[in-house]
Amino acid sequence: MKLKLITVCFVLCTIILGSCKKQDVKITPLASLLVTNAVSGGGNLVLGTNAAPVNNNAFQAYGMLTASKEIRLVDTAGGINKVYYNQTKDFVNGGVYSLFLGGTPDAVDGIFMKEENIPSHTADVFGARVINLVTGGVPISVNVQGSANGSFVSSLVYKAISTFKDVSSVAAEGDKVFEFRNAATGDLITSFTVPGYDMPRFRNITLVFAGAVGAETVIRANNY
């Protein structure tokens, strides 16, 4: 009887220990891609089989498998299947990438970049940078309303992008209004407001100067 009891205990212990063995967890290597669709007069774009489109004058974030991958962005409206961008890029595990699309539907300009210097913030600020995607436009300067012309960005030509700079996000200061000007003359072209109720505190945004000459607009892309 004692032998049987010992045998039963041994079997139970073996089962319990077997069930407690460490399970190997397979982690899929991933990168992230933020696509901003600033094509003047363009349509909404589909990336591969992803359900979420990149609407015109908007942005969309995607998870990307690593290694060499095709980025194919297509306007599928009306069955035209017009390809705006089709290039193969290398993605590394944990990498953060951005793709900005400008120009026109018949002459799309794509700026692809691996993000190396997205800052972190501990003070009551947010980071902002600017990219100029107005085809045929003049170099621009940018200032926060109330500051000197060109104090945020002194001059930015077409397809150029600034570095991230800190902007105060103290609640009592309210909205932050960015003024986009002709860098040579100082004339105001347009402005963009980051509202106090949607302040990206401790985070980062890109302000995309887009549209056509005489019909410029600004798109906010969140680099969270």
Side-chain angles (χ1 to χ4, degrees):
M1 186 67 182
K2 183 181 289 188
L3 180 60
K4 288 184 178 179
L5 182 59
I6 292 172
T7 303
V8 171
C9 290
F10 176 78
V11 172
L12 288 174
C13 288
T14 302
I15 293 172
I16 292 170
L17 289 173
S19 66
C20 292
K21 284 184 179 179
K22 183 178 179 180
Q23 298 294 318
D24 291 332
V25 178
K26 292 184 178 180
I27 299 175
T28 302
L30 288 174
S32 66
L33 174 65
L34 187 73
V35 181
T36 302
N37 177 5
V39 177
S40 181
N44 302 333
L45 304 178
V46 174
L47 175 64
T49 59
N50 288 277
V54 193
N55 294 331
N56 190 237
N57 290 338
F59 69 95
Q60 184 65 49
Y62 298 98
M64 300 290 293
L65 295 174
T66 56
S68 185
K69 299 296 177 184
E70 180 186 53
I71 306 174
R72 190 171 188 269
L73 289 152
V74 181
D75 180 356
T76 60
I80 60 174
N81 292 327
K82 182 176 179 62
V83 178
Y84 278 40
Y85 187 87
N86 188 15
Q87 292 192 23
T88 298
K89 299 293 183 180
D90 293 328
F91 293 89
V92 300
N93 187 33
V96 178
Y97 301 84
S98 293
L99 173 61
F100 299 94
L101 298 180
T104 65
D106 293 324
V108 177
D109 279 322
I111 299 96
F112 178 87
M113 59 189 296
K114 185 177 188 294
E115 301 285 5
E116 302 285 3
N117 297 300
I118 295 180
S120 57
H121 308 281
T122 55
D124 202 3
V125 300
F126 66 92
R129 66 180 177 183
V130 179
I131 183 170
N132 182 356
L133 289 184
V134 175
T135 307
V138 297
I140 59 167
S141 69
V142 184
N143 63 278
V144 178
Q145 193 174 70
S147 301
N149 292 359
S151 54
F152 193 77
V153 175
S154 59
S155 183
L156 208 62
V157 298
Y158 180 61
K159 294 200 295 186
I161 187 167
S162 73
T163 58
F164 284 102
K165 296 185 178 180
D166 288 352
V167 181
S168 173
S169 59
V170 175
E173 297 177 357
D175 300 346
K176 295 295 177 180
V177 181
F178 291 81
E179 297 178 333
F180 294 74
R181 300 177 180 275
N182 182 314
T185 66
D187 293 339
L188 181 66
I189 300 173
T190 190
S191 63
F192 181 82
T193 300
V194 178
Y197 64 81
D198 190 25
M199 198 68 66
R201 290 179 177 84
F202 312 113
R203 296 179 288 187
N204 302 282
I205 61 174
T206 299
L207 299 179
V208 183
F209 184 65
V213 175
E216 296 88 351
T217 188
V218 178
I219 304 163
R220 168 179 163 176
N222 295 328
N223 300 99
Y224 298 165

